[in-house]
Amino acid sequence: MSDYNSEIRDGMRIDWDVPIRMDDGIVLRADVFRPMAEGKYPALVSYGPYGKGLAFQEGYKTAWDIMSRDNPDAVAGSTNQYQSWEVVDPEKWVPDGYACVRVDSRGAGRSPGFLDHNNARENRDFHDCIEWTAAQSWCSGKVGLNGISYYASSQWRAAALQPPHLAACCVWEGWVDYYRDSVRHGGIACTFRKHWQDMQVKTVQHGRGTNGPKSRVTGELVCGPETLTDAELEKNRTDMWAGVLAHPLAGNTYYQQRTGDLSKVTVPLLSAANWGGQGLHPRGNFEGYSRSVSKQKWLEVHGGSHWAPFYTDYGVKLQKRFFDYFLKGEQNGWEKQPRVTLQVRHPGEKFVERHETEWPLARTQWTKFFLDPDGMKLGSSEIKSEKSNTYDATGDGATFSTPALDREMEITGPIVLKLWVSSSTVDADIFAVLRVFDPGGKELVFQGALDPHTPIAQGWLRASQRKLDPKLTLPYRPYHTHDEKQPLKPGEIYELDVEIWPTSIVVPKGWRVALTIRGKDYEWEGEATHLSNMKNPMRGCGPFLHDDETDRPPAIFGGKVTLHMGPKHPAHVLLPVVPEKK
């Protein structure tokens, strides 16, 4: 007799809470959705902490409401009874001959154990869940990984372990480098993880029992049958934020086990990035595509919210073509799919699809725009005399702008900012924001992955962590080691290379491109918005802020910063200007 429930409903055979025993004896729980007809089917597996029994509509109400309103095709063709946050809707996959396996990660939902995100134990669990799935009587032996964010970033690490039956990965908006992409941008601690654990993970930790939510489908407790005290729950999870603060530098085991080894990622790969995901995901999608050793890999880049494009007809069709080819062996022409698909951004939330063969684009005209404090200009010519500009790190910083463009200009690709700076203290944090303004002076912002008023591009660097890795640094993408601190001597000038994450924007004639350099996070000037699952209001950077005084004591990071420009210090931003295809 099985120790899980099985039923047929909505055209699917559903196995609830199937046990998967790990090598240390812990039993994880999975829900399996599969076709009713007997047979062997390829499987899509997801492994994560958000509670497989928690409905998308209940756990993330504002996100669901926005998606339903703005992307009605995302919720069409389904009862939406089985929709969960950031994983596939089985009602859209099972009818096409797929099994969908949702595993509650160790310590989350209905899976017991110690909750410690993204560590080596989780990676091994995911590997073993893939192999367990492949061994089931209903599985063809072909396993694919699909999902957004947590369910995407974990794929890099699972793929690096090379489970034998892993046949393809669709990494939809998923970071790869825990340090550089997620918790310490340019070495500066991002407080997202502190609030994320409070708002999205502790709420569905295993052991909340009757204090947690119930499944709207089964009526079962989402967080397992036992109810633990707050003290017991706290003892049974790691403090993510304490881990970030305790490890200010990269290169140690803490970050290594939480970062995918791209030199070992060989599986067929579809990496899907979001131009507006500044602060968490897109860097990983670009790096993962560029640096993984997979022979068969594709890059897709879109705009819009973090969740909706995955569920839209566009997203589902793309994913199915990819998986049909690699998991089912269907000759659907995917082998002829261009390696790079870009939804190129234009003002007004307009995106135009374009196919390319590589990333960055080979025809890119890498163009230097030099900083000139006289008139706060961004110009194509180097300035002829030494000049400087000093700003208060707690203020609005310094903004340099091109004149009105005399022709349309497309900027698509990675960006690097070259600076020479001095500080009144022993350190300085550089926040770099690429911006665009219309002829009337109104800033162009976009619906970002989370924040509805996201600027064109952002980058960050802590000056004391300016050391570059010569092996991984590219002319258009600096790569910092973050393995030591090199304090500044107040008043002394230092050269910095600031990585600005990739972007895309077609700037119309008559508009201006601007660069703001400041000592704190960008803030949009309009009214803030809110998401039910996010703690802080959205003011341009979403939840990806760098405002923790433990990491950024005002005595050090609240001083004055001076930018040095001229023949000896040719400060500039290197933009990827893309000409039309010939």
Side-chain angles (χ1 to χ4, degrees):
M1 184 175 178
S2 66
D3 63 346
Y4 60 90
N5 295 320
S6 184
E7 64 175 326
I8 292 175
R9 55 187 295 166
D10 293 313
M12 300 180 289
R13 183 179 299 277
I14 308 174
D15 303 324
W16 302 106
D17 266 359
V18 181
I20 308 178
R21 185 173 295 276
M22 298 294 101
D23 57 8
D24 62 351
I26 285 286
V27 176
L28 306 182
R29 294 287 174 170
D31 292 340
V32 179
F33 305 81
R34 52 194 172 95
M36 290 189 295
E38 293 296 325
K40 291 182 177 292
Y41 301 97
L44 297 178
V45 178
S46 58
Y47 173 101
Y50 294 136
K52 60 184 175 56
L54 180 64
F56 189 149
Q57 301 93 316
E58 295 177 4
Y60 300 84
K61 185 180 186 309
T62 50
W64 177 266
D65 290 344
I66 293 169
M67 181 172 74
S68 301
R69 180 193 70 204
D70 297 345
N71 303 93
D73 61 322
V75 300
S78 170
T79 70
N80 296 308
Q81 286 295 305
Y82 311 97
Q83 284 270 27
S84 291
W85 178 243
E86 297 186 335
V87 294
V88 301
D89 177 0
E91 288 187 274
K92 292 189 176 182
W93 288 84
V94 171
D96 285 341
Y98 285 91
C100 298
V101 180
R102 293 177 177 169
V103 186
D104 274 339
S105 58
R106 182 178 294 244
R110 294 183 67 85
S111 293
F114 185 77
L115 188 63
D116 191 359
H117 300 287
N118 314 128
N119 68 347
R121 179 67 257 182
E122 266 207 358
N123 302 337
R124 174 51 57 179
D125 286 352
F126 199 178
H127 170 285
D128 291 353
C129 288
I130 292 166
E131 291 305 297
W132 173 90
T133 299
Q136 301 309 297
S137 61
W138 42 259
C139 184
S140 67
K142 294 275 191 179
V143 176
L145 306 181
N146 199 9
I148 314 172
S149 196
Y150 198 105
Y151 300 100
S153 62
S154 57
Q155 293 181 41
W156 298 116
R157 300 186 298 281
L161 295 177
Q162 299 182 350
H165 292 90
L166 179 59
C169 288
C170 175
V171 184
W172 199 279
E173 300 190 34
W175 54 266
V176 65
D177 186 322
Y178 190 58
Y179 189 98
R180 294 167 181 82
D181 302 348
S182 179
V183 299
R184 284 192 168 271
H185 303 133
I188 310 168
C190 175
T191 57
F192 171 68
R193 286 294 169 195
K194 176 168 61 174
H195 304 317
W196 174 79
Q197 188 173 35
D198 285 343
M199 299 290 286
Q200 292 182 244
V201 179
K202 286 162 59 174
T203 53
V204 286
Q205 183 181 351
H206 180 80
R208 289 201 70 218
T210 56
N211 293 322
K214 283 186 177 182
S215 166
R216 65 192 297 174
V217 179
T218 66
E220 296 286 346
L221 294 168
V222 169
C223 303
E226 63 177 333
T227 304
L228 304 179
T229 65
D230 288 345
E232 289 172 320
L233 288 169
E234 184 175 2
K235 188 177 179 180
N236 216 24
R237 65 175 179 260
T238 190
D239 183 334
M240 289 191 75
W241 183 240
V244 173
L245 292 179
H247 299 90
L249 297 175
N252 50 58
T253 302
Y254 180 80
Y255 289 113
Q256 287 171 349
Q257 66 181 306
R258 291 169 170 81
T259 296
D261 183 347
L262 294 173
S263 70
K264 295 179 180 177
V265 175
T266 60
V267 69
L269 169 69
L270 173 59
S271 179
N274 188 326
W275 299 120
Q278 303 155 21
L280 189 54
H281 293 302
R283 184 183 187 275
N285 284 107
F286 289 110
E287 291 287 309
Y289 172 76
S290 299
R291 293 171 52 210
S292 64
V293 295
S294 301
K295 294 286 192 292
Q296 297 171 296
K297 57 184 179 179
W298 288 262
L299 175 68
E300 185 274 346
V301 196
H302 53 267
S305 71
H306 177 43
W307 52 89
F310 179 81
Y311 295 102
T312 60
D313 292 344
Y314 165 83
V316 173
K317 181 180 178 182
L318 183 72
Q319 297 157 41
K320 282 184 178 176
R321 286 186 58 231
F322 172 72
F323 284 119
D324 284 351
Y325 183 79
F326 286 108
L327 268 59
K328 292 183 175 181
E330 290 187 6
Q331 298 306 303
N332 58 9
W334 181 267
E335 74 280 5
K336 298 177 182 177
Q337 173 77 9
R339 288 304 175 107
V340 176
T341 299
L342 305 179
Q343 302 294 336
V344 179
R345 288 199 297 191
H346 295 250
E349 302 288 347
K350 180 184 176 185
F351 296 86
V352 177
E353 183 170 305
R354 192 174 71 214
H355 293 149
E356 302 286 353
T357 57
E358 72 287 310
W359 179 267
L361 308 186
R363 68 182 184 281
T364 301
Q365 297 171 349
W366 298 100
T367 307
K368 293 180 180 180
F369 287 82
F370 294 90
L371 281 60
D372 185 350
D374 287 350
M376 302 304 287
K377 296 189 292 284
L378 270 184
S380 56
S381 301
E382 296 186 44
I383 61 176
K384 295 185 169 58
S385 60
E386 289 296 318
K387 303 173 186 178
S388 65
N389 177 277
T390 299
Y391 64 85
D392 188 330
T394 61
D396 294 332
T399 297
F400 301 84
S401 175
T402 67
L405 299 182
D406 59 7
R407 68 186 71 179
E408 180 182 272
M409 179 170 70
E410 178 184 335
I411 300 168
T412 296
I415 300 166
V416 59
L417 172 61
K418 171 75 78 172
L419 293 177
W420 281 263
V421 306
S422 59
S423 173
S424 63
T425 71
V426 296
D427 213 340
D429 282 346
I430 301 297
F431 294 75
V433 189
L434 189 73
R435 307 166 73 183
V436 167
F437 293 87
D438 71 13
K442 182 181 179 181
E443 183 175 8
L444 174 67
V445 289
F446 277 88
Q447 168 63 59
L450 293 174
D451 198 304
H453 302 104
T454 302
I456 302 305
Q458 297 188 73
W460 309 263
L461 182 63
R462 178 155 288 173
S464 62
Q465 293 176 222
R466 61 194 176 277
K467 178 182 169 185
L468 294 172
D469 182 331
K471 292 181 179 179
L472 289 175
T473 290
L474 299 167
Y476 50 78
R477 198 273 282 122
Y479 193 97
H480 299 88
T481 61
H482 295 299
D483 60 359
E484 66 173 311
K485 290 187 178 182
Q486 300 175 328
L488 313 183
K489 292 181 180 179
E492 194 165 309
I493 300 173
Y494 297 88
E495 182 178 351
L496 307 181
D497 295 274
V498 183
E499 176 187 2
I500 298 178
W501 290 12
T503 193
S504 175
I505 180 64
V506 177
V507 186
K509 177 182 177 181
W511 293 43
R512 295 179 296 114
V513 178
L515 175 75
T516 296
I517 303 167
R518 50 196 276 144
K520 63 179 183 179
D521 287 302
Y522 165 89
E523 284 193 10
W524 183 64
E525 293 181 353
E527 185 178 350
T529 58
H530 300 264
L531 285 175
S532 59
N533 56 303
M534 299 292 168
K535 186 171 184 177
N536 53 281
M538 306 282 154
R539 301 185 186 277
C541 293
F544 308 114
L545 300 179
H546 309 79
D547 55 1
D548 184 79
E549 291 194 357
T550 304
D551 179 68
R552 305 188 68 226
I556 295 176
F557 296 99
K560 293 186 181 297
V561 176
T562 300
L563 306 176
H564 299 267
M565 295 150 278
K568 295 180 181 178
H569 308 105
H572 64 269
V573 60
L574 183 69
L575 294 183
V577 177
V578 178
E580 287 188 22
K581 276 186 173 182
K582 293 183 179 179

